[in-house]
Amino acid sequence: MSHSQPRSVVLGTGSELPSKVLTNSALEQLVDTSDEWITVRTGIKVRRILEDGKGSADMAYHASLRAMEDAGVEARDLQAIIVGTVTPDYPFPSSACVLEHMLGARDVFSFDVNAACSGFLNALAVADAFIRTGKIRSALVVGSDALSRLLNWQDRATCILFGDGAGAVVLGASEDDGRGVLSTRLRTDGSYAKTLYVPAGGSLKPASIQSVQRNEHTITMNGKEVFKVAVRSMEEISREALSDAGVSIDQVSLVIPHQANRRIITALADRLGLPLEKVVVNVDKYGNTSAASVPVALDEARRQGRIQPGDIVLLNAFGAGFAWGAAVIRF
Ligand code: COA
């Protein structure tokens, strides 16, 4: 039983949502939309917006402090910090390095992963791999994004969908056979790169007066295409992760899907044959918070007592790249 390969167990979770609330009715003042359209098509009612003068590392910091307090872990105990984000404070250095300094962590390695809305799942899979190989025994895994910074507030097809936030998980190594991350699966398909992307601000099209005037630093998306592939891909990868873990769908206590759109979540639950009571939905309150969405929902579910010891939880996400992933965790 003991002395087997270590597994990553969730020692604590935390989240941070900015206090500024943006309602659907406020969006009615900005673009030609309605509370009814947004509610029916997406399930979103309000979202949070990071205040000016702050970057996503600030949200990551507060989420991390809560996760570390929950875990009973100090900054000096952390051996790795991995942040999923596409909205770091700077093009470089990484958000993880900024966060590491804010936390006062030492003797640690830190880096970001860029997998858009799947960023937390990718960060989790990487941290889990380091822990399984015995390289490290603790890691802080964060998803933090401020997509409000990448929105065109004149584009009604995108500006209504997104919000800001951060979620964090402290992982520790454990030789207790039963608990922990049972499986992770990641996938990408770069042929969809331009189905959901930000055209400028990278090395191909650096910032210029023209790029700003053309709004090329904001999210460009074919929503219908994203919707279709998201449902199919999240179902498929969830089934693969469950199969890797040797777990059947009816053994799953709770699913924590990426919170992009209520209709995507219900379509996914339907395809997986799961009742909605077993699926966490908070997209109504926060919109799509990108890499933050899964760890924020996980933290809320834990704090609401929806996850008990022994429960098997399925996480999944899908986003730009396209990049998607799933993980199965026994608590
Ligand atoms: N308010 C009112 N009308 C809107 C609107 C808005 N905010 N946004 C689009 N519309 C209009 C469109 O212009 C279109 O009008 P038309 O029929 O006159 O051309 C109509 O509503 C239908 O648009 P369509 O894009 O077909 O709607 P949809 O049912 O596909 O819903 C999304 C649009 C974006 C909500 C949906 O496609 C979606 O959620 N996709 C996934 C996006 C996503 O999650 N991206 C991030 C993934 S990580």
Side-chain angles (χ1 to χ4, degrees), residues 234-235 238-239 242-243 246-255 268-275 278-279 312 314 316 328:
M234 279 197 287
E235 180 201 357
S238 295
R239 291 193 187 280
L242 288 169
S243 157
V247 165
S248 70
I249 193 78
D250 41 80
Q251 289 176 281
V252 172
S253 310
L254 200 64
V255 182
L268 176 66
D270 205 42
R271 278 171 172 248
L272 289 173
L274 279 165
K278 284 192 171 185
V279 182
I312 294 177
L314 167 68
N316 54 42
V328 180

Coordinates of all heavy atoms in Angstrom, one line a residue, residues 234-235 238-239 242-243 246-255 268-275 278-279 312 314 316 328:
M234 N -14.7 18.4 -24.9 CA -14.7 18.2 -23.4 C -15.3 16.9 -23.1 O -14.9 16.2 -22.1 CB -15.4 19.4 -22.7 CG -14.5 20.6 -22.6 SD -15.0 21.8 -21.4 CE -16.4 22.5 -22.3
E235 N -16.3 16.5 -23.8 CA -16.9 15.1 -23.6 C -15.8 14.0 -23.8 O -15.6 13.2 -22.9 CB -18.1 14.9 -24.5 CG -18.7 13.5 -24.2 CD -19.5 12.9 -25.3 OE1 -19.7 13.6 -26.4 OE2 -20.0 11.8 -25.1
S238 N -13.0 14.1 -21.3 CA -13.4 13.7 -19.9 C -13.5 12.2 -19.9 O -13.1 11.5 -18.9 CB -14.8 14.3 -19.6 OG -14.7 15.7 -19.6
R239 N -14.1 11.6 -20.9 CA -14.2 10.1 -20.9 C -12.8 9.5 -20.9 O -12.6 8.4 -20.3 CB -15.0 9.6 -22.2 CG -16.4 10.0 -22.1 CD -17.2 9.3 -23.2 NE -18.6 9.8 -23.3 CZ -19.6 9.4 -22.5 NH1 -19.3 8.6 -21.5 NH2 -20.8 9.9 -22.6
L242 N -11.3 9.7 -17.4 CA -12.0 8.8 -16.5 C -11.5 7.4 -16.7 O -11.3 6.6 -15.8 CB -13.6 8.9 -16.7 CG -14.2 10.1 -16.2 CD1 -15.7 10.2 -16.7 CD2 -14.2 10.2 -14.6
S243 N -11.4 7.0 -18.0 CA -10.9 5.7 -18.3 C -9.5 5.5 -17.8 O -9.2 4.4 -17.2 CB -11.0 5.5 -19.8 OG -10.1 4.5 -20.3
G246 N -9.6 4.7 -14.3 CA -10.3 3.5 -13.9 C -11.6 3.8 -13.2 O -12.0 3.1 -12.3
V247 N -12.2 4.9 -13.6 CA -13.4 5.4 -12.8 C -14.6 5.5 -13.9 O -14.4 5.9 -15.0 CB -13.1 6.8 -12.3 CG1 -14.4 7.5 -11.8 CG2 -12.2 6.7 -11.1
S248 N -15.7 5.0 -13.5 CA -16.9 5.1 -14.3 C -17.6 6.4 -14.1 O -17.5 7.0 -13.0 CB -17.8 3.9 -14.2 OG -18.5 4.0 -12.9
I249 N -18.4 6.8 -15.0 CA -19.1 8.1 -14.9 C -20.0 8.2 -13.7 O -20.1 9.2 -13.0 CB -19.8 8.5 -16.2 CG1 -20.2 10.0 -16.3 CG2 -21.0 7.6 -16.5 CD1 -19.2 10.9 -16.6
D250 N -20.6 7.1 -13.3 CA -21.5 7.2 -12.2 C -20.8 7.2 -10.8 O -21.4 7.4 -9.8 CB -22.6 6.1 -12.2 CG -22.1 4.8 -12.7 OD1 -21.5 4.1 -11.9 OD2 -22.2 4.5 -13.9
Q251 N -19.5 6.9 -10.9 CA -18.7 7.1 -9.6 C -18.3 8.5 -9.4 O -17.8 8.9 -8.3 CB -17.4 6.2 -9.7 CG -17.7 4.7 -9.6 CD -16.4 4.0 -9.8 OE1 -15.9 3.8 -10.9 NE2 -15.8 3.6 -8.7
V252 N -18.5 9.4 -10.4 CA -18.1 10.8 -10.2 C -19.2 11.5 -9.4 O -20.4 11.5 -9.6 CB -18.1 11.5 -11.6 CG1 -17.9 13.0 -11.5 CG2 -17.0 10.9 -12.4
S253 N -18.7 12.2 -8.3 CA -19.6 12.9 -7.4 C -19.9 14.3 -8.0 O -21.0 14.8 -7.7 CB -19.0 13.1 -6.0 OG -18.5 11.9 -5.5
L254 N -18.9 14.9 -8.6 CA -19.1 16.3 -9.0 C -18.2 16.6 -10.3 O -17.1 16.1 -10.3 CB -18.7 17.2 -7.9 CG -19.2 18.7 -7.9 CD1 -20.7 18.7 -7.8 CD2 -18.5 19.5 -6.8
V255 N -18.8 17.3 -11.2 CA -18.0 17.7 -12.4 C -17.8 19.2 -12.2 O -18.8 20.0 -11.9 CB -18.8 17.4 -13.7 CG1 -17.9 17.9 -14.9 CG2 -19.1 16.0 -13.8
L268 N -22.8 19.5 -22.3 CA -21.8 18.6 -21.9 C -22.3 17.6 -20.9 O -22.1 16.3 -21.0 CB -20.6 19.3 -21.3 CG -19.5 18.5 -20.7 CD1 -18.7 17.7 -21.8 CD2 -18.5 19.4 -19.9
A269 N -23.1 18.1 -19.9 CA -23.7 17.2 -18.9 C -24.6 16.2 -19.5 O -24.6 15.0 -19.2 CB -24.4 18.0 -17.9
D270 N -25.4 16.7 -20.5 CA -26.3 15.8 -21.2 C -25.5 14.7 -21.9 O -25.9 13.5 -21.8 CB -27.0 16.7 -22.3 CG -28.3 16.2 -22.7 OD1 -29.0 15.7 -21.8 OD2 -28.6 16.2 -23.9
R271 N -24.4 15.0 -22.7 CA -23.7 14.0 -23.4 C -23.0 13.0 -22.5 O -22.8 11.9 -22.8 CB -22.6 14.7 -24.2 CG -23.1 15.2 -25.5 CD -22.0 16.1 -26.2 NE -22.3 16.5 -27.5 CZ -21.7 16.1 -28.6 NH1 -20.7 15.2 -28.5 NH2 -22.0 16.5 -29.8
L272 N -22.6 13.5 -21.3 CA -22.0 12.6 -20.3 C -23.0 11.8 -19.5 O -22.6 10.9 -18.7 CB -21.1 13.4 -19.3 CG -19.8 14.0 -19.9 CD1 -19.1 14.9 -18.9 CD2 -18.8 12.9 -20.4
G273 N -24.3 12.2 -19.7 CA -25.3 11.5 -19.0 C -25.4 11.8 -17.5 O -25.7 10.9 -16.7
L274 N -25.0 13.0 -17.2 CA -25.0 13.4 -15.8 C -26.1 14.4 -15.4 O -26.3 15.4 -16.2 CB -23.6 14.1 -15.5 CG -22.4 13.2 -15.2 CD1 -21.1 13.9 -15.3 CD2 -22.6 12.5 -13.8
P275 N -26.7 14.2 -14.3 CA -27.7 15.2 -13.9 C -27.0 16.5 -13.5 O -25.9 16.5 -13.0 CB -28.4 14.6 -12.6 CG -27.3 13.6 -12.1 CD -26.5 13.2 -13.3
K278 N -25.0 17.4 -10.3 CA -23.6 16.9 -10.1 C -22.7 17.8 -10.9 O -21.5 17.5 -11.0 CB -23.5 15.5 -10.6 CG -24.0 14.4 -9.7 CD -23.6 13.1 -10.2 CE -23.9 12.0 -9.2 NZ -23.3 10.7 -9.7
V279 N -23.1 18.9 -11.4 CA -22.3 19.8 -12.2 C -22.3 21.2 -11.6 O -23.3 21.8 -11.3 CB -22.8 19.9 -13.6 CG1 -21.9 20.8 -14.5 CG2 -23.0 18.5 -14.2
I312 N -15.0 11.7 -5.8 CA -14.3 11.7 -7.1 C -14.8 12.9 -7.9 O -16.0 13.0 -8.2 CB -14.4 10.4 -7.8 CG1 -13.7 9.3 -7.0 CG2 -13.8 10.6 -9.2 CD1 -13.7 7.9 -7.7
L314 N -14.4 15.4 -11.3 CA -13.9 15.5 -12.7 C -13.8 17.0 -13.1 O -14.8 17.7 -13.0 CB -14.9 14.8 -13.7 CG -14.7 15.1 -15.2 CD1 -13.4 14.5 -15.7 CD2 -15.9 14.5 -15.9
N316 N -12.8 19.7 -16.2 CA -12.5 19.8 -17.6 C -12.5 21.3 -18.1 O -13.2 22.1 -17.5 CB -13.3 18.9 -18.5 CG -14.8 19.1 -18.2 OD1 -15.3 20.3 -18.1 ND2 -15.6 18.0 -18.1
V328 N -9.0 13.9 -13.2 CA -9.9 13.2 -12.2 C -9.1 13.2 -10.9 O -8.0 12.9 -10.8 CB -10.2 11.8 -12.7 CG1 -11.1 11.1 -11.6 CG2 -10.8 11.8 -14.1

